[in-house]
Amino acid sequence: MGTPTSAYAAQSATSPLTSWSIERREPSAEDVSLEILYCGVCHSDIHSVRNEWGGAVYPMVPGHEIVGKITQVGENVSKWKVGDSVGIGCFVDSCRTCAACESGEEQYCENGATFTYNSEDKISGGTTYGGYSTQITVDQNYLVRVPESLPLDAAAPLLCAGITTYSPLRHFGVKAGMKVGVVGLGGLGHMGVKFAKAMGAHVTVLSQSEKKREDAMLLGADDYLAMSDPDVFKKNAGRFDFLLDTVSAEHDLNSYLSLLRLDGRMVLVGLPDPTPVSAFPLAMKRRSLSGSMIGGIRETQEMLDFCAEHEIVCDIEVIAMSQINEAYERMMKSDVRYRFVIDMASMKS
Ligand SMILES: [Zn+2]
Ligand SMILES: [Zn+2]
């Protein structure tokens, strides 16, 4: 017997999202409940709802870019109080004892983190439900604080798009003076540009056509390459220290690797279909190819504080909950600059 909560859910892989009611657990001594104010719309939501990665459980309530205000705290909760502005990202629990959890990399929990939606709910049983809803209850250790200076709506996508791009830039030591290329200019890419720029790098956007050149420069990029130009790979061979590849469509990784200098690294944060990688572009200049998935709680907090310090937020378009199906269609056409954010006040009217 939890708290009845309004939500939007997919009832199957082919049905549109519609209004539905879920139950949230009453906060335990270690829990915090919050009123969800905004939830960003991530490409993963579409993949999950349509069961493109398998393992979908219906009804499914997506959403893992959650920002809200605390409404209730359990008796053992000391670091949060009612009224605090907080965020929840892609996971809401993990084992807390494995090497990954102990080093603050809960997203890589060896026993499997509990993801914010469509994940086995080890506390209440059943399946977790995400942020396309009006409230949520979560353990006090799986929250982050949203700094006061950040607007809550534009901060929501930082919880996935933000940390997904911030974490590899930090982890692999991107710093002032480095030549960084951001491949793809969508929800992830536009954050990659802002972060790499704030870290002092010289930033180039690598996009398919000339279409996004002006946008890239407005976001702070120093240079722009249209990759459909047949000579572009040859002309820019060995140019970059670091490439952040945010593209989820199939593309030839080997060509992109050739753009790295000696010891350069390319990190994949999109999840493209399997692409054969050749040993040659790696071995010839001792290059590295890595992947990265979101970030831990501590690093997510560091990222939010970095955003406050550097006045970074996402570029967003706010929508009502009822516009979500239309928003998915537009995202499939890359028709959003750069993230949709659902205003949960629209669930109340
Ligand atoms: Zn996401
Ligand atoms: Zn763990």
Side-chain angles (χ1 to χ4, degrees):
M1 26 146 236
T3 309
T5 300
S6 304
Y8 253 55
Q11 302 291 338
S12 79
T14 51
S15 56
L17 297 186
T18 50
S19 176
W20 192 55
S21 181
I22 58 172
E23 288 204 342
R24 293 297 191 188
R25 69 174 186 260
E26 292 301 325
S28 73
E30 305 293 332
D31 280 342
V32 164
S33 288
L34 48 138
E35 179 191 4
I36 299 176
L37 298 176
Y38 297 100
C39 184
V41 183
C42 176
H43 266 278
S44 306
D45 300 350
I46 304 182
H47 291 298
S48 301
V49 157
R50 297 183 178 172
N51 199 20
E52 288 164 3
W53 292 335
V57 178
Y58 300 98
M60 186 191 297
V61 177
H64 60 204
E65 294 181 340
I66 299 168
V67 164
K69 279 206 191 300
I70 292 179
T71 53
Q72 225 180 321
V73 296
E75 59 190 39
N76 295 346
V77 174
S78 54
K79 63 177 175 178
W80 307 107
K81 58 180 198 309
V82 170
D84 285 351
S85 297
V86 291
I88 298 171
C90 299
F91 55 91
V92 289
D93 204 355
S94 65
C95 84
R96 308 167 196 217
T97 55
C98 73
C101 285
E102 288 206 324
S103 60
E105 307 269 22
E106 301 91 348
Q107 75 277 28
Y108 302 119
C109 175
E110 290 160 23
N111 297 300
T114 300
F115 290 96
T116 306
Y117 65 85
N118 198 54
S119 196
E120 183 193 346
D121 188 334
K122 290 174 182 152
I123 297 174
S124 310
T127 305
T128 54
Y129 296 126
Y132 295 10
S133 58
T134 52
Q135 54 184 328
I136 189 167
T137 302
V138 66
D139 183 283
Q140 59 172 331
N141 294 307
Y142 292 80
L143 287 171
V144 285
R145 189 176 300 282
V146 180
E148 255 173 49
S149 63
L150 296 180
L152 295 180
D153 51 359
L158 296 173
L159 278 306
C160 175
I163 188 62
T164 296
T165 48
Y166 178 89
S167 179
L169 293 170
R170 264 286 180 256
H171 182 78
F172 293 112
V174 165
K175 56 182 191 294
M178 282 175 75
K179 290 192 168 66
V180 170
V182 175
V183 186
L185 192 65
L188 293 175
H190 97 288
M191 291 310 304
V193 171
K194 293 186 189 201
F195 285 135
K197 197 64 202 161
M199 292 171 190
H202 181 279
V203 181
T204 302
V205 168
L206 289 68
S207 184
Q208 206 39 43
S209 69
E210 284 291 344
K211 264 194 314 206
K212 295 184 177 172
R213 180 181 288 272
E214 201 183 327
D215 288 354
M217 299 326 240
L218 286 172
L219 287 167
D222 301 290
D223 200 359
Y224 185 94
L225 297 176
M227 306 316 288
S228 53
D229 171 354
D231 293 329
V232 73
F233 286 100
K234 203 185 285 174
K235 276 192 235 160
N236 293 280
R239 170 171 170 181
F240 295 100
D241 297 292
F242 187 93
L243 286 173
L244 182 70
D245 185 346
T246 72
V247 174
S248 51
E250 197 179 336
H251 56 297
D252 179 20
L253 299 181
N254 301 304
S255 311
Y256 283 89
L257 285 169
S258 73
L259 301 174
L260 293 169
R261 65 154 172 79
L262 174 65
D263 287 328
R265 181 185 298 273
M266 176 155 91
V267 179
L268 308 179
V269 293
L271 294 170
D273 290 333
T275 316
V277 175
S278 161
F280 274 93
L282 292 171
M284 296 306 281
K285 290 209 182 282
R286 201 166 53 194
R287 295 164 174 132
S288 302
L289 177 62
S290 306
S292 181
M293 181 180 77
I294 48 179
I297 294 291
R298 189 173 60 216
E299 194 175 46
T300 303
Q301 186 64 62
E302 177 193 306
M303 178 272 309
L304 287 172
D305 296 341
F306 182 90
C307 287
E309 189 188 331
H310 295 271
E311 299 180 359
I312 291 173
V313 284
C314 293
D315 291 17
I316 59 163
E317 183 176 331
V318 176
I319 59 169
M321 189 71 252
S322 59
Q323 292 172 287
I324 188 66
N325 296 299
E326 187 194 323
Y328 279 9
E329 292 310 314
R330 285 184 52 196
M331 285 165 72
M332 298 306 290
K333 293 182 279 189
S334 301
D335 175 23
V336 55
R337 284 183 190 164
Y338 284 90
R339 207 65 151 178
F340 288 115
V341 172
I342 306 160
D343 180 355
M344 288 307 157
S346 66
M347 295 276 279
K348 289 175 190 147
S349 47

